[in-house]
Amino acid sequence: SAGVVKMQPKAEELKFVTKNDGYVHIHPSSVNYQTRHFESPYLVYHEKIKTSRVFIRDCSMVSVYPLVLLGGGQVHMQLHKGEFVISLDDGWIRFAAASHQVAELVKELRCELDQLLQDKIKNPSMDLCMCPRGSRIIGMIVKLVTTQ
């Protein structure tokens, strides 16, 4: 009898999907080109170029909570087939939440962070770590991201 060992994809076979371009590949000059496994299926990137195919460069893996808390667009929550789903970018990026309470808390934390950043823009001299509200919000985000 013989077994089969699942092999990681080759660097040139690894591909990701973007909303506007479909499949993209990590550029061979990128530091992450030889990375064959990412803990999270989400990457952020700085540059996208098209040569023989569409490539991304200057990319980093990002996990779910930082993406939800710091990603662009509005955060929405809905019940879908018995699961509470948090969505970004008009539903293109979707995450299943462990419970309704978790989904609500993450959405509320994002709203609080957005408001805190708006306050900082209005008052650039405000020290976010010294004000009680800012330090609580930042502390909660750090705890959430480091313990996920």
Side-chain angles (χ1 to χ4, degrees):
S1 70
V4 176
V5 177
K6 184 176 179 181
M7 305 228 355
Q8 295 289 336
K10 294 177 184 170
E12 63 273 5
E13 296 172 342
L14 193 61
K15 55 189 171 184
F16 295 87
V17 180
T18 65
K19 185 176 183 180
N20 296 328
D21 296 297
Y23 289 112
V24 297
H25 301 266
I26 297 175
H27 195 273
S29 68
S30 177
V31 172
N32 283 327
Y33 181 69
Q34 293 298 327
T35 304
R36 295 165 51 172
H37 174 74
F38 294 93
E39 293 296 319
S40 172
Y42 303 102
L43 296 180
V44 293
Y45 61 90
H46 175 67
E47 185 177 29
K48 180 171 54 173
I49 58 171
K50 184 174 184 178
T51 55
S52 58
R53 53 187 172 181
V54 180
F55 291 99
I56 56 174
R57 285 199 282 215
D58 304 325
C59 60
S60 295
M61 184 200 72
V62 63
S63 57
V64 172
Y65 287 127
L67 186 59
V68 171
L69 294 173
L70 302 169
Q74 295 292 323
V75 175
H76 299 283
M77 185 191 65
Q78 62 187 13
L79 182 62
H80 181 74
K81 295 183 179 179
E83 283 189 314
F84 290 97
V85 176
I86 300 170
S87 64
L88 298 169
D89 200 14
D90 298 325
W92 195 76
I93 300 171
R94 299 165 47 118
F95 311 99
S99 68
H100 180 261
Q101 183 180 17
V102 169
E104 284 290 344
L105 289 172
V106 169
K107 184 178 178 183
E108 186 63 28
L109 186 58
R110 168 65 187 265
C111 290
E112 288 291 328
L113 177 60
D114 287 348
Q115 184 59 52
L116 185 65
L117 294 174
Q118 285 295 325
D119 294 347
K120 177 67 173 173
I121 290 168
K122 290 176 187 170
N123 182 6
S125 63
M126 181 173 81
D127 186 344
L128 296 179
C129 293
M130 295 306 289
C131 73
R133 181 172 163 263
S135 64
R136 282 194 313 269
I137 293 168
I138 292 169
M140 185 57 63
I141 291 170
V142 168
K143 186 175 181 179
L144 179 66
V145 170
T146 57
T147 60
Q148 72 174 350

